[in-house]
Amino acid sequence: MEYLADIKGKIVESILSIYSKNYNITDLVFDRCKKEFVGDYTLVTFAFSKNVGESPELVGNKIGEFLLNNKWIHSYNVIKGFLNIQMTDEFWIKNVLYFQNTSITKILHYQSEPKNFLIEYCSPNTNKPLHLGHIRNVLLGWSMRNILKAKSYDVSTTQVINDRGIAICKSMWAWKQFANGATPQSTGIKGDHFVGDYYVMFENKFKEEYAQWQSTSQANDIYTNSKKESESSDDFFKRYKNDYFNKISEIGAQAREMLLQWEAQVPEVLELWKRMNAWVYEGFEVTHKKLNIHFNSCYYESQTYLLGKEIVQQGLDKQVFYREADGSVWVDLESKGLDKKILLRSDGTSVYITQDLGTAQQRHKELNKDHYIYVVADEQDYHFKVLFETLKLLEEPYANGLYHLAYGMVELPTGRMKSREGTVVDADDLIDEVESEAKLVAEERGEIVHLSDEEKSKVYHQIGMAALKYFMLKVQAKKRMIFDPKESVDMQGNTGPYIVNAYVRIKSIERRQAIESIDQYNEIIVEQEKELLKLIMEYPGIVDEAVKQYDPSGIANYCYSLAKEFHRFYHDCRILNAETEEQKKWRLTLCKIVSDYLNHGMQCLGIDMPDRM
RNA sequence: GGUCUCGUAGCUCAGCUGGAUAGAGCAUCUGCCUUCUAAGCAGAGGGUCUCAGGUUCGAAUCCUGACGGGAUCACCA
C-alpha cells in the first residue's frame, strides 16, 4: 500500500486519540490541496467539527498539531474548515521507492477478491459492415475487459452475431439477382462491404418498386381507406412502408420466401447464406484486427433464436408467468415499476426477449460466471430492465450478476446517423482516415524518417488509433456523444497523441540513458515532481472507480492529466542535464514510473503506444 | 401522454460519495525551439453551471417543480 494510506490512518488515529471517536477515512473529506493554497493535502473539518461541538479552526489545529509527530508531515496551516498539510521530502522519496519496486499489477491487485466476468459486446448484423456506433461499443467493451483484467479478475468476451433474419435474406436476394456470381475475391471488395452493398441494392430496388406502386389505383384505394385524418399521402406512405413490404411488395415476398426456405433448411438457400456470412466474417475479422479487439467466443442467433421456450415453460410451472386466453405467455412486472411483457406469441413462436432469456441461461450453464455484462446502446435500457427482472423472478442463480453497460448513442454534428440518408460513418473508412491524418502530421515532423516503411506504417496506425480510441473513450459511457469527424483526427491538445507524445518523450530519453533503480535521494524535490507523484498515487483509486462505474472514461481523463503534468515537468525541469548525477537518476526513475503508468492506463483503454512518433 | 435520461465557456467535454476563487481542449489573440521529440510549454480573453424553489455552515453536485433536447413505450429485432 502506498504511503498516503498511512497518512489517512494517522488522521483516523488522531481523531480517536483527541476525541475518542472512531471514524472511517471514507467518512472524512481528504483530498489533494488546491494549487492556490499552501499544502499537499487537505482535510475538510466542517462536518466533523459540528459533531464534536468545536469550531472547524480548532479541530483543524488540534489534528494538525497531532500529525506533526509523524515524520511524513512537514507542516500544516488552517484556513477556516480546511486543514492543509505539507509532506516531508522523505514522504515523496518513500513513495518513489515504493512505485519503483512494486508492479502496477500488484498494486491494483491489493485487496482485490477473485471474480469472473463475461462481457458481451459488438453484436453486429451480418448484412452490413461495422459503423461508428459499433466502434463506440467495441472500444467500451474491450476497454472494460482490460480494466477488469488489470484488477486480476477472470474475464472473457463474447459477441452475439445476428446472422439470420430478413436482413441477410435481402442481401442474398440481391446477390442472386444482380451479382452474376461475383465474390469479394473477384471484385476485390472487403467481404462485409460486399454483402452490405447488396443489401443497399435491395433497398434501392425496393424503394423504386414502392414509389412506382404509389401511383397505382390499389395504392390510392388503400390510402383513402386507411389514412388518418388530414394525413398527407407522403406521411401515409412513409408509415405504410413496412406493411407494403410484408403484404404487397413483390421483391419483399421473394425475400420473405427466402427466409422461410432458410427456416425450412432448403440446401440451396442455406448454402448461399453460409457463403455470404463467411464473407462478412472475413471482413469483420480485418476490422477487429485493426482495432485490436478479440472475442473468446461467438454466439450465433441462427443457433440461439429458438432458445428460451423451455425457460418460459419453467416460468409457467413456477407460476411467475401467465398464459392469456389466446395462448400467448406474459410476465407481469408492474410491481417492479415496469409493464406486462409478452414472452411467447400466441402461435407459440419466440419474440426478441425469449431468445435473450434462453441465451442467458445457456451461457450460464456453459460458462458459470459471476457477472455478465451486456454492452448495448442505451436505447435498449427498458429491454434489459425487463430481461433482468424476469430472470430475477425466475430466481436464476446468476440474475443478480447481470449488468447492462449502456452507452449513449453516437451522433454527428448534423444529427443522428441514418443509413437511409447515407450519413452512417463506416468503421473502416474512419480508421483509414485517422491513420492517414497521423501519417500526414508525422511526415511533416520528420522524427521517424529513418524507420523502415513497415515500421512507419505501424506507428501511423498506432497514433491514428490512439486518436480515435481516446476520442471515443474520454466521454462518459452513459452520455450520448457528438462525434465530429474533424475533431476525431485532431492530434493536439486533449487527445490520444498528446498522451502518446508524453510517453514517447520518455522513451526517447531512455534510449539515451539507461535507467538504474535508486534507493535514496538527498536533494530538493521540486513542485513539478510532487505533482506527478500525487497523480501516480491516485491511479489505483481511478481504476477502482472505473470498475465500480463500469466506465473507462475516468482512466482516459487520468491519462491526460498525467501526460499534461509530465509535459509541464519536461518543459520546466532538465532530466539528462539535471544539476547533479543524483538528481538525474531520481528524475529518470520518475520518468520510468510515469511511462509505466501512462502505458498501463492506455493499455486499459486498448491503446497501444509506439516508442517514437 | 407514461417511464428513463441529459442540460456546465462560441464548440466538444471534465468536475457530480456536497467543500476554498467552476476546469481542460478546440477556436481567437500573445510569447517560447543553438538545451532531453514544439503532436510541447507559458499567458490573455471567454461562465447567471437552463430556470425557480428547497435541504445547510456550505450546492454545478442532493431533493422538488418548470423549461428544453434525446431515448423508449410492437405478438419488430
Side-chain angles (χ1 to χ4, degrees):
Chain A
M1 196 80 184
E2 95 285 357
Y3 294 88
L4 192 57
D6 268 22
I7 300 301
K8 292 177 181 172
K10 280 285 175 292
I11 291 170
V12 171
E13 197 184 313
S14 71
I15 291 172
L16 187 63
S17 151
I18 302 168
Y19 298 102
S20 313
K21 282 185 190 268
N22 211 342
Y23 264 74
N24 197 322
I25 188 65
T26 50
D27 297 332
L28 301 164
V29 182
F30 183 76
D31 263 317
R32 216 165 359 137
C33 185
K34 290 204 142 198
K35 277 192 175 155
E36 52 270 39
F37 298 94
V38 177
D40 294 309
Y41 293 98
T42 300
L43 179 74
V44 183
T45 58
F46 284 108
F48 176 72
S49 72
K50 213 172 154 189
N51 291 343
V52 297
E54 287 180 356
S55 75
E57 288 90 341
L58 185 57
V59 171
N61 279 302
K62 279 188 179 174
I63 295 176
E65 208 54 41
F66 184 95
L67 290 177
L68 279 186
N69 295 325
N70 192 294
K71 60 181 171 177
W72 290 333
I73 309 288
H74 174 266
S75 59
Y76 75 94
N77 65 81
V78 175
I79 303 170
K80 292 187 286 182
F82 301 95
L83 166 61
N84 302 316
I85 58 177
Q86 252 184 306
M87 315 310 282
T88 57
D89 282 357
E90 195 186 346
F91 172 78
W92 304 113
I93 294 161
K94 279 283 181 199
N95 273 297
V96 167
L97 297 180
Y98 172 72
F99 292 126
Q100 170 190 266
N101 299 326
T102 319
S103 75
I104 302 175
T105 307
K106 196 174 167 195
I107 290 173
L108 294 180
H109 189 54
Y110 183 77
Q111 280 188 344
S112 162
E113 288 165 23
K115 287 184 187 174
N116 56 60
F117 294 83
L118 178 74
I119 301 179
E120 174 194 318
Y121 71 119
C122 193
S123 310
N125 295 340
T126 57
N127 65 312
K128 51 190 166 200
L130 303 179
H131 58 71
L132 186 50
H134 292 110
I135 290 194
R136 188 171 200 195
N137 184 306
V138 299
L139 296 182
L140 280 169
W142 183 246
S143 176
M144 269 327 295
R145 178 261 184 199
N146 296 332
I147 293 165
L148 292 167
K149 279 255 178 191
K151 286 292 289 181
S152 303
Y153 297 141
D154 170 24
V155 193
S156 45
T157 54
T158 191
Q159 62 176 333
V160 173
I161 300 174
N162 183 10
D163 59 342
R164 63 168 285 279
I166 193 68
I168 185 69
C169 288
K170 289 178 182 175
S171 290
M172 286 156 64
W173 181 89
W175 186 83
K176 274 180 79 170
Q177 207 65 236
F178 307 118
N180 265 325
T183 65
Q185 289 73 29
S186 76
T187 55
I189 299 172
K190 192 164 166 280
D192 49 341
H193 289 264
F194 181 84
V195 173
D197 289 346
Y198 285 96
Y199 180 80
V200 172
M201 266 180 231
F202 179 95
E203 287 297 317
N204 288 338
K205 199 79 200 161
F206 173 72
K207 246 183 259 171
E208 214 174 278
E209 188 201 86
Y210 189 37
Q212 277 175 14
W213 175 80
Q214 281 171 34
S215 53
T216 64
S217 61
Q218 184 193 22
N220 195 47
D221 288 351
I222 291 175
Y223 167 60
T224 20
N225 290 333
S226 41
K227 69 165 180 169
K228 288 180 193 160
E229 241 174 287
S230 77
E231 188 175 27
S232 73
S233 67
D234 269 10
D235 287 344
F236 173 79
F237 286 121
K238 241 181 216 171
R239 183 163 65 84
Y240 191 71
K241 193 172 170 185
N242 216 25
D243 282 335
Y244 172 78
F245 178 85
N246 286 315
K247 292 175 189 165
I248 299 163
S249 167
E250 223 171 275
I251 67 172
Q254 288 170 23
R256 279 184 298 116
E257 175 59 24
M258 281 186 105
L259 182 57
L260 288 175
Q261 288 175 348
W262 180 89
E263 284 176 11
Q265 311 262 303
V266 173
E268 188 210 333
V269 173
L270 224 49
E271 179 110 349
L272 177 59
W273 171 77
K274 277 186 194 157
R275 201 167 165 214
M276 290 186 80
N277 273 342
W279 292 337
V280 172
Y281 299 145
E282 264 172 44
F284 283 167
E285 192 61 38
V286 172
T287 310
H288 294 165
K289 209 165 178 190
K290 282 195 263 186
L291 289 166
N292 198 14
I293 59 157
H294 306 275
F295 300 92
N296 297 111
S297 64
C298 286
Y299 284 81
Y300 298 90
E301 295 205 345
S302 57
Q303 285 160 25
T304 61
Y305 81 111
L306 295 173
L307 288 177
K309 292 187 182 183
E310 199 178 308
I311 200 172
V312 170
Q313 188 56 48
Q314 289 163 5
L316 282 168
D317 295 344
K318 285 187 180 176
Q319 303 197 321
V320 293
F321 302 157
Y322 64 94
R323 199 184 285 277
E324 283 286 351
D326 64 3
S328 56
V329 178
W330 297 71
V331 60
D332 183 353
L333 295 169
E334 281 176 356
S335 65
K336 309 282 180 192
L338 305 169
D339 300 304
K340 296 187 171 83
K341 183 80 189 173
I342 189 160
L343 302 175
L344 215 53
R345 293 195 188 98
S346 49
D347 65 5
T349 57
S350 309
V351 290
Y352 181 42
I353 197 166
T354 325
Q355 189 185 144
D356 276 359
L357 289 167
T359 306
Q361 198 180 43
Q362 191 197 39
R363 233 184 232 174
H364 187 66
K365 254 184 226 156
E366 289 172 4
L367 302 168
N368 193 30
K369 301 284 183 185
D370 304 323
H371 301 274
Y372 297 87
I373 300 172
Y374 296 79
V375 183
V376 180
D378 65 3
E379 60 186 348
Q380 296 202 40
D381 279 351
Y382 186 75
H383 169 74
F384 281 101
K385 276 184 193 167
V386 171
L387 178 66
F388 296 167
E389 285 305 329
T390 305
L391 288 165
K392 277 183 202 168
L393 272 183
L394 287 164
E395 296 175 322
E396 292 290 313
Y398 51 87
N400 287 311
L402 301 166
Y403 184 79
H404 174 206
L405 197 171
Y407 59 90
M409 306 292 282
V410 183
E411 283 175 34
L412 301 174
T414 48
R416 232 181 137 164
M417 286 191 290
K418 290 195 177 123
S419 48
R420 262 176 283 132
E421 290 163 28
T423 55
V424 175
V425 176
D426 178 76
D428 295 313
D429 291 350
L430 184 57
I431 292 167
D432 290 348
E433 232 166 274
V434 289
E435 242 173 71
S436 51
E437 180 67 21
K439 182 178 177 193
L440 212 68
V441 178
E443 280 175 347
E444 233 169 69
R445 283 165 44 92
E447 284 285 347
I448 58 167
V449 280
H450 61 285
L451 295 184
S452 71
D453 284 353
E454 194 185 333
E455 287 169 319
K456 272 187 220 164
S457 22
K458 190 178 172 197
V459 173
Y460 303 149
H461 177 71
Q462 284 174 313
I463 294 172
M465 285 299 105
L468 179 60
K469 291 182 177 181
Y470 178 81
F471 185 77
M472 301 295 286
L473 288 170
K474 72 174 174 175
V475 180
Q476 265 183 56
K478 65 171 183 180
K479 289 203 178 179
R480 84 179 219 272
M481 70 179 278
I482 312 280
F483 182 93
D484 188 336
K486 285 203 297 285
E487 287 174 14
S488 71
V489 301
D490 274 353
M491 312 259 156
Q492 266 142 22
N494 187 355
T495 66
Y498 174 96
I499 299 165
V500 176
N501 186 223
Y503 179 78
V504 163
R505 282 178 148 183
I506 297 172
K507 289 293 149 186
S508 173
I509 290 171
E510 271 182 41
R511 280 194 294 273
R512 287 161 195 270
Q513 172 77 63
I515 297 173
E516 307 161 38
S517 70
I518 58 169
D519 49 23
Q520 58 166 352
Y521 186 54
N522 296 303
E523 311 213 11
I524 294 285
I525 299 169
V526 299
E527 214 47 50
Q528 291 88 335
E529 295 165 340
K530 292 179 190 173
E531 291 303 319
L532 281 172
L533 286 168
K534 286 178 198 172
L535 280 167
I536 295 295
M537 282 186 258
E538 285 168 24
Y539 188 59
I542 299 286
V543 173
D544 284 346
E545 199 56 24
V547 168
K548 207 171 135 198
Q549 303 290 334
Y550 290 107
D551 182 5
S553 67
I555 293 181
N557 287 302
Y558 172 87
C559 287
Y560 174 66
S561 306
L562 185 55
K564 191 174 166 60
E565 205 55 59
F566 177 78
H567 280 306
R568 194 163 79 97
F569 165 71
Y570 181 90
H571 178 267
D572 294 351
C573 307
R574 294 173 175 199
I575 299 161
L576 291 176
N577 299 319
E579 285 169 33
T580 66
E581 192 62 19
E582 193 176 0
Q583 191 180 50
K584 177 169 123 187
K585 281 187 180 171
W586 159 260
R587 288 187 174 166
L588 283 169
T589 301
L590 219 51
C591 283
K592 173 79 167 65
I593 293 168
V594 169
S595 70
D596 285 348
Y597 276 72
L598 279 177
N599 190 239
H600 193 277
M602 292 293 263
Q603 287 294 327
C604 282
L605 303 177
I607 298 173
D608 215 19
M609 293 194 285
D611 288 351
R612 309 165 194 262
M613 68 194 290

